[in-house]
Amino acid sequence: MKKLEKKLAAGPVDFDSFFSQKALRMKASEVRELLKLVETSDVISLAGGLPAPETFPVETIKKITAEILEEHADKALQYGTTKGFTPLRLALARWMEKRYGIPMSKVEILTVAGSQQALDLIGRVIINPGDVIVVEAPTYLAAIQAFEYYDPEFVSIPMDDEGMRIDLLEEKLEELKKQGKRVKMVYTVSTFQNPAGVTMSLERRKRLVELAEEYDFLIVEDGPYSELRYSGEPIPPIKHFDENGRVIYLGTFSKILAPGLRIGWVAAHPHLIRKMEIAKQSIDLCTNTLGQAIAWKYVEDGHLDGHIPKIVEFYKPRRDVMLEALEEYMPEGVTWTKPEGGMFVWVTLPEGIDTKFMLEKAVSKGVAYVPGEAFFVHRDKKNTMRLNFTYVPEEKIREGVKRLAETVKEELKKL
Ligand SMILES: Cc1ncc(COP(=O)(O)O)c(C=O)c1O
């Protein structure tokens, strides 16, 4: 332990005795701590989930920011309303209508400090302790963390190449109904999922909405990657098929502009938006107004539509190289998803290999990944891992996968 840390840890005050029960249960994951060290070393990290900084439209942001400060400084530097900067809400409503064919007005839009904040707001306004929440297996780690705080009962549904197994969901819904339990909400990262990279098929999207009607639950559709398509045909969001306002759609500028702005949005029925707005008041009063103004001009002036193809063009070769390298180097018995977009490939190793234990060895060979276990609410799958292909340049992706394959081969010998 470093000197300062030691001094701070050994102070006279027992701070733990002050923490709430919930805070006491919060723990930093060991894997995250290990990966933090990796970020500063020579290890090729396929672990992160970051967009490539080369895709940030720096010059456009500079220009837009100067214009905003010239023309709208009074509003852009002021507190805003909790529901968000009205011109941005209007622009987003129009954009969603144009892009996804979802008729939308500004009363259905709430802007938030990244879609991560929306996940917490959903937890606040929807989840009572013990409520049954359905998630995908695997699912987005920080969604588990956001919802977990509100003490739900998680039910996880396996996925295949077409996303969540809706047939298994249906069986589960029936089983729970017989037990007198109601599912309140189904959370899905429907397109180019984090962590698995897969996309829910059109047929399943439609069926999920039908089931929501039949069994009376809400759907949270988290869509941060949906614009990053490198191959295949676009599929409308689940929200497109939602006639009665059961789908809460989460959008974000993090992967199509820059995550540092911390601007996302919720598109949902006004009744849900209103409750989330009230919940948000006590958290931050309003989302960063200058950031919202920048996002507004970015959409309004057509930069967003022009920029998305550039990001896609930048990431596609990285995705291709990762898939090629996996094909070339991985031994038999290893499988992986073939994402048509997004940022991640999900790798499954033969049973018996624990990727959490393997990580240290991989790091010693100069490559890092995220062990899959933490993406499962019940932490019951040990032989999977998530690889990111957006952050590291092509030649490093190839070399990283090669090193990883060597590590896997050595582990296989031990089985
Ligand atoms: C599925 C998913 N949801 C939400 C987020 C949060 O994104 P942000 O808060 O930057 O909008 C991420 C970020 O990686 C994500 O992968």
Side-chain angles (χ1 to χ4, degrees):
M1 209 186 292
K2 288 190 209 96
K3 242 186 188 166
L4 177 64
E5 277 177 35
K6 211 168 186 174
K7 189 175 150 213
L8 291 173
V13 183
D14 175 10
F15 290 108
D16 279 354
S17 72
F18 292 91
F19 286 139
S20 67
Q21 294 296 331
K22 288 197 179 219
L24 283 171
R25 273 193 272 142
M26 295 173 189
K27 294 259 181 311
S29 92
E30 312 137 41
V31 169
R32 225 174 243 200
E33 296 304 302
L34 176 65
L35 291 175
K36 246 192 246 168
L37 298 176
V38 166
E39 300 299 340
T40 55
S41 69
D42 290 337
V43 172
I44 297 174
S45 181
L46 306 176
L50 303 184
E54 297 91 323
T55 64
F56 301 156
V58 180
E59 290 309 314
T60 308
I61 294 176
K62 270 191 204 165
K63 185 171 156 279
I64 285 178
T65 309
E67 282 168 17
I68 288 166
L69 292 177
E70 197 66 42
E71 295 160 26
H72 308 283
D74 56 335
K75 289 198 178 63
L77 299 177
Q78 186 57 280
Y79 285 113
T81 59
T82 309
K83 54 170 95 73
F85 187 58
T86 307
L88 175 62
R89 290 166 58 230
L90 272 167
L92 285 170
R94 277 199 299 264
W95 189 76
M96 288 204 52
E97 188 156 353
K98 185 182 76 177
R99 194 93 183 164
Y100 304 136
I102 306 171
M104 185 141 298
S105 83
K106 71 176 192 304
V107 293
E108 293 166 280
I109 304 274
L110 172 74
T111 57
V112 283
S115 46
Q116 191 60 39
Q117 182 176 57
L119 294 171
D120 180 63
L121 289 174
I122 288 165
R124 277 182 196 236
V125 306
I126 305 284
I127 305 175
N128 282 320
D131 278 348
V132 181
I133 302 300
V134 172
V135 297
E136 289 154 334
T139 188
Y140 171 50
L141 177 55
I144 302 178
Q145 288 167 329
F147 299 150
E148 214 162 41
Y149 188 79
Y150 302 98
D151 292 324
E153 180 187 328
F154 282 114
V155 167
S156 64
I157 303 292
M159 292 198 294
D160 61 16
D161 288 345
E162 292 182 37
M164 188 192 285
R165 289 274 309 271
I166 300 296
D167 55 331
L168 297 183
L169 171 67
E170 195 167 352
E171 278 173 23
K172 196 75 195 172
L173 288 165
E174 203 46 40
E175 183 188 318
L176 288 165
K177 194 176 165 189
K178 285 196 184 117
Q179 293 168 15
K181 285 187 182 172
R182 169 194 180 203
V183 167
K184 234 184 187 179
M185 163 184 126
V186 172
Y187 170 72
T188 171
V189 184
S190 53
T191 309
F192 317 135
Q193 202 236 21
N194 179 5
V198 298
T199 295
M200 192 188 286
S201 67
L202 186 66
E203 206 177 299
R204 289 192 191 174
R205 287 172 192 234
K206 290 181 183 164
R207 184 68 191 133
L208 181 59
V209 174
E210 282 170 11
L211 289 175
E213 291 295 337
E214 218 172 300
Y215 289 87
D216 189 24
F217 58 81
L218 297 178
I219 299 167
V220 176
E221 180 179 28
D222 194 357
Y225 306 103
S226 50
E227 292 299 324
L228 307 181
R229 176 174 282 282
Y230 319 128
S231 51
E233 289 305 312
I235 301 186
I238 300 169
K239 179 109 188 104
H240 178 85
F241 305 103
D242 173 32
E243 283 180 10
N244 296 326
R246 287 186 180 273
V247 182
I248 303 174
Y249 182 87
L250 309 185
T252 180
F253 285 96
S254 290
K255 311 289 165 16
I256 50 176
L257 174 54
L261 282 174
R262 308 306 303 130
I263 307 291
W265 71 94
V266 184
H269 190 281
H271 202 78
L272 296 169
I273 290 288
R274 176 75 185 131
K275 196 54 100 180
M276 290 170 83
E277 177 196 345
I278 296 167
K280 183 173 155 70
Q281 278 165 4
S282 64
I283 301 175
D284 62 1
L285 301 177
C286 68
T287 301
N288 167 3
T289 324
L290 179 58
Q292 290 187 81
I294 293 169
W296 159 61
K297 262 211 154 288
Y298 185 68
V299 180
E300 193 67 14
D301 294 356
H303 297 298
L304 178 58
D305 290 332
H307 189 57
I308 289 170
K310 291 185 193 157
I311 307 176
V312 167
E313 196 181 321
F314 189 85
Y315 288 154
K316 185 180 180 298
R318 295 189 173 192
R319 188 266 325 241
D320 292 345
V321 163
M322 178 165 277
L323 291 178
E324 280 160 26
L326 285 163
E327 199 66 61
E328 187 172 339
Y329 298 119
M330 278 297 170
E332 214 168 293
V334 178
T335 57
W336 55 91
T337 55
K338 320 259 176 335
E340 294 190 330
M343 295 176 45
F344 307 106
V345 172
W346 182 250
V347 179
T348 305
L349 304 183
E351 291 282 348
I353 297 183
D354 187 329
T355 52
K356 203 161 129 190
F357 290 122
M358 197 182 78
L359 182 59
E360 225 172 299
K361 176 178 264 182
V363 169
S364 73
K365 284 191 175 291
V367 64
Y369 57 84
V370 186
E373 188 189 78
F375 298 99
F376 294 92
V377 281
H378 304 302
R379 293 184 159 263
D380 50 356
K381 212 139 165 52
K382 312 282 183 203
N383 59 331
T384 56
M385 61 174 108
R386 189 191 75 179
L387 305 182
N388 166 270
F389 57 76
T390 54
Y391 191 69
V392 173
E394 276 112 281
E395 61 285 2
K396 283 202 167 174
I397 293 178
R398 172 168 279 282
E399 177 58 27
V401 171
K402 189 173 171 207
R403 292 178 190 177
L404 187 56
E406 280 161 20
T407 316
V408 172
K409 282 177 197 160
E410 283 178 23
E411 287 300 291
L412 278 172
K413 280 190 202 142
K414 288 199 232 151
L415 286 183

